[in-house]
Amino acid sequence: MTFTLAIVGRPNVGKSTLFNRLVGKKLALVDDQPGVTRDLREGAGRLGDLRFVVIDSAGLEMAEDDSLQGRMRRLTERAVDEADICLFVVDARAGVTAADEYFADILRRRAKHVILAANKAEGRAGEDGAMEAFGLGLGDPLRVSAEHGEGMDDLYRALVPLAEVVEAERPAPIAAETDVELSEEDAESGEGAEDWRPSAARPLQLAVIGRPNAGKSTLINKIIGEDRLLTGPEAGITRDSISVTTQFMDTPMRIFDTAGMRKRAKVIDKVEKLSVADGLRAVRFAEVVVVLLDVAIPFEQQDLRIADFAETEGRAVVVAANKWDLEDDKPHKLNELRASFEKLLPQLKGAPLVTVSAKTGKGLDRLHNAILKAHEVWNRRVSTAKLNRWLEAMTESHPPPAPGGRRIRLRYMTQVKTRPPAFVVKATHTDKIPDSYQRYLINGLRQDFDMPGTPIRLFLRDQGTVNPYRHKADKINQSGALSKHKNRQKPKGS
């Protein structure tokens, strides 16, 4: 049985702490100051034998205009409408406020099922506030402590009957199509064995990163076709790294929206530091990273650092220039972007550069194709035979240097991993091979095996002059010597 549980309440009552308690991880940012959470964050909740989707929401504000607080409130109200059960949290230590009474009335009208929880109720300090919560008319309040884990058994007992009601009300699922079996010919040839390709079970992990106000949340909203993420003219709206699972032009994807990353010297606020750290963690979870630029001020120093970080982490990178609809001289600007890209980011040579408009949706098809291409290259594998033929041709065309008269021999090459592609070269005097020759090999791999833009790792292993088959020769020599010794031991005439 599964259901959706939305945690709602006014700011700073402990919703994110309770969310982290239910998912068993510190996913949501938590701080003492109110209003840290702004977007809707989903997670896999677990309580006893119950499995459900839990949603952390922004604090309900008494604002109905188009201000940031008003947009946050509308997003939370949307979560209330879509959730199967709402967990309304009040602060037992502060007592019931006028805002709590106002939002309790909204939940009575809009929510399907409501559970009332008085948080921070540990000890005697929260007794009076928990008693006051009876007056909200939402049933008996549960005394819980999200920080210390108290009251979770009471919450479980309250959820079980509601979960059964939700399950009974849910329409019967439509039977899914049966899986397509591989033919014997396809199975023998290895077709279909590429489990890295995106599927419903394993969607492509995509992170969108960039400076504040580049349009990351707007772009993701346009991709999923709904206003799922909070957007607006203010810079730095997004704080948590929010993940959304969707179908981007029939490709299953899990997209991470991240907080805007400013220069480290400008990041003073504690919450912003937590937001940036959360965004960097999302990059490490991702497979493909879209570095989103503002076309009016592209390739600033912070953009270069962000792109370089994604490459250093070994992620496939796609560079997207947003707000393309505002550009007048598009051909000239595109040539300028490409020239700057090649000059300022040589480590990402050949990576896709696309232009998009998050506001109008123009260029999303190009972005989709670039993401799939980058993901395919990131997972590419080259056979050892092809690599060694290629290595022989590369060394004949441009032999490695001979420092001090010692000739360097590149003897053997193989690919040891993908995601990103990594290669090992067995050679002599590896400490004498200059970085320029390693770049020559990496650029050759990019060009000859069609791996543009993806990070390539090249490792040199010193083989020396040792014969790799020497151990076999030693075994033969040892067996021959042993047989001769036995022959000497035999008496004459035997």
Side-chain angles (χ1 to χ4, degrees), residues 211-265:
R211 289 183 289 109
N213 216 27
K216 299 180 292 296
S217 300
T218 305
L219 176 66
I220 297 174
N221 281 342
K222 185 60 69 171
I223 289 174
I224 64 180
E226 57 180 297
D227 293 335
R228 169 66 175 75
L229 302 173
L230 190 64
T231 61
E234 303 91 347
I237 290 179
T238 303
R239 285 177 169 171
D240 291 83
S241 292
I242 306 299
S243 67
V244 179
T245 302
T246 187
Q247 290 274 342
F248 184 13
M249 295 186 177
D250 297 328
T251 303
M253 290 191 189
R254 186 184 181 199
I255 307 177
F256 292 87
D257 182 26
T258 61
M261 300 178 186
R262 298 195 297 165
K263 293 181 181 179
R264 184 177 298 180

Side-chain angles (χ1 to χ4, degrees), residues 291-345:
V291 180
L292 197 64
L293 313 176
D294 186 335
V295 73
I297 44 174
F299 296 114
E300 287 198 337
Q301 193 65 34
Q302 187 63 4
D303 293 320
L304 302 180
R305 288 174 179 163
I306 291 170
D308 184 66
F309 171 76
E311 192 276 339
T312 303
E313 288 296 319
R315 301 298 174 254
V317 177
V318 174
V319 178
N322 189 27
K323 306 179 184 179
W324 192 242
D325 55 308
L326 303 178
E327 186 60 39
D328 295 327
D329 191 357
K330 290 180 171 57
H332 174 73
K333 189 65 175 182
L334 184 58
N335 292 333
E336 186 180 304
L337 285 173
R338 286 174 176 164
S340 299
F341 184 29
E342 293 178 4
K343 178 183 177 182
L344 298 174
L345 291 170

